[in-house]
Amino acid sequence: MSIVTFLLIIVILFLSRHELFHAWDLLTTVKFGYLALLVPIFLLDYYAAGRISFSYIEAKQKGFRLHAWTQMRLSLEMNFVNHVLPSGGVSGLSYMTWRLGQVGVGASRALMSQIVQLVLGLVAFLVLLMLAVLVVTIDGSINRVIILVSSALSTALIATIIVCIYVTMDLRRIRKMSEWLVHTVNFCVRRLTFGKKRKVLDLATTEKFMTDMHRDYLDLRRDSAMLIKPFYWALVFTACEVAIFWVTFLALGIWVNPALILIAYGLALIAGFLVITPGGSGAYEALMVGFLAVAGVSQGAAIAGIVLAR
């Protein structure tokens, strides 16, 4: 996957070679006063990312408190791991489960907090995406391809959330999922190690782990109010992510509709999960640049803005 992505980057660089000169010229005109605004945005971004999961843990585990700087640091650590290790985001998930264990959070609760962060992040993005679809639909200058892409993205996110809830709400389905997971992982390990290592997952341990998660899910259903604060922080986090690109474009002297940036960001997030390169590098930037170019942003300007922000 990494090799394919690397070859894709080479093709994109070749096809965009003329626009790259324009992008380079734009980078020499950066207004550093605007770029300075990114410092507080990044601080709020990482703090909000931590608050999504930590506010959930605080509601579930009485007496659990972490200093604001510690929460930001943990969020930054997870981001660093995801951008260093090629894993489609799984590295950060497993790292944070281990890291939270060091501050007194059980493995199942730590993982559930990460799942809450992921799901609420999708829900918050979906809420903002629907607003973005409304904005681009009202804007007569936006072509129908953009509306189609944004609508398809909304539908895919809704379907993903429904499937996650469907699996989690029933104990029998969770057990079947555990059996499938153990069988699949152990089979892959045997193949990759040529039979030297027979298994890495134990069915009983995995089932207990998944059952604990199911219990947390039932608690969430009984007291869904504990998700209000995490959802609020998920909205703040998503808004900050979009603001980073928007401010960067302003620093280049380019106005880009924030609704378009939000849709491009959603497509790039999917690339980050599906492409195995660290942080989705290559595909992430290519999708954002490609979408913004289709939406009417100069390709050279799109390249300069996305690369500078990243």
Side-chain angles (χ1 to χ4, degrees), residues 65-202:
R65 287 290 184 275
L66 286 179
H67 192 276
W69 285 107
T70 303
Q71 295 180 36
M72 292 168 67
R73 190 185 71 216
L74 289 174
S75 297
L76 184 58
E77 286 178 20
M78 183 173 75
N79 184 71
F80 176 75
V81 169
N82 278 333
H83 281 79
V84 168
L85 301 177
S87 63
V90 177
S91 295
L93 193 71
S94 56
Y95 174 82
M96 282 300 289
T97 301
W98 167 76
R99 192 71 170 82
L100 287 170
Q102 295 184 325
V103 292
V105 181
S108 61
R109 180 159 296 166
L111 182 58
M112 190 63 181
S113 72
Q114 297 304 298
I115 292 173
V116 165
Q117 181 174 357
L118 177 62
V119 172
L120 287 184
L122 288 175
V123 173
F125 173 75
L126 184 60
V127 170
L128 295 176
L129 180 62
M130 288 179 174
L131 290 174
V133 172
L134 182 62
V135 170
V136 298
T137 303
I138 294 173
D139 189 346
S141 62
I142 303 297
N143 63 52
R144 292 182 180 181
V145 174
I146 303 304
I147 299 172
L148 178 63
V149 170
S150 55
S151 300
L153 186 58
S154 301
T155 304
L157 286 175
I158 292 170
T160 301
I161 292 168
I162 290 173
V163 169
C164 290
I165 293 173
Y166 175 76
V167 172
T168 311
M169 67 189 299
D170 186 83
L171 195 56
R172 285 175 300 177
R173 284 193 286 269
I174 283 183
R175 283 174 179 164
K176 287 181 180 178
M177 178 96 175
S178 300
E179 291 174 2
W180 175 84
L181 184 66
V182 170
H183 173 76
T184 303
V185 170
N186 289 339
F187 174 79
C188 292
V189 167
R190 283 196 299 272
R191 287 300 181 91
L192 290 171
T193 61
F194 301 102
K196 292 180 180 179
K197 191 168 185 62
R198 305 299 299 174
K199 66 175 185 177
V200 291
L201 291 182
D202 176 70

Side-chain angles (χ1 to χ4, degrees), residues 30-42 247 251:
V30 172
K31 299 178 179 68
F32 289 98
Y34 281 105
L35 280 186
L37 294 174
L38 291 180
V39 176
I41 294 174
F42 270 118
V247 170

Side-chain angles (χ1 to χ4, degrees), residues 194-297:
F194 301 102
K196 292 180 180 179
K197 191 168 185 62
R198 305 299 299 174
K199 66 175 185 177
V200 291
L201 291 182
D202 176 70
L203 182 58
T205 305
T206 305
E207 277 193 357
K208 181 182 181 303
F209 183 78
M210 298 292 277
T211 302
D212 288 342
M213 281 184 55
H214 174 70
R215 193 177 297 116
D216 275 359
Y217 168 76
L218 294 179
D219 288 342
L220 277 177
R221 287 191 62 181
R222 285 191 291 267
D223 187 14
S224 55
M226 70 174 66
L227 293 179
I228 294 175
K229 281 186 179 180
F231 176 68
Y232 162 75
W233 286 111
L235 287 173
V236 174
F237 169 74
T238 306
C240 286
E241 290 283 288
V242 174
I244 289 167
F245 292 100
W246 184 66
V247 170
T248 304
F249 277 113
L250 285 181
L252 293 169
I254 303 164
W255 167 265
V256 180
N257 190 330
L260 293 177
I261 296 177
L262 178 70
I263 298 168
Y265 169 73
L267 292 172
L269 275 184
I270 294 173
F273 279 104
L274 297 181
V275 178
I276 206 168
T277 52
S281 297
Y284 188 109
E285 293 81 8
L287 268 174
M288 287 200 78
V289 169
F291 179 84
L292 291 175
V294 171
V297 179

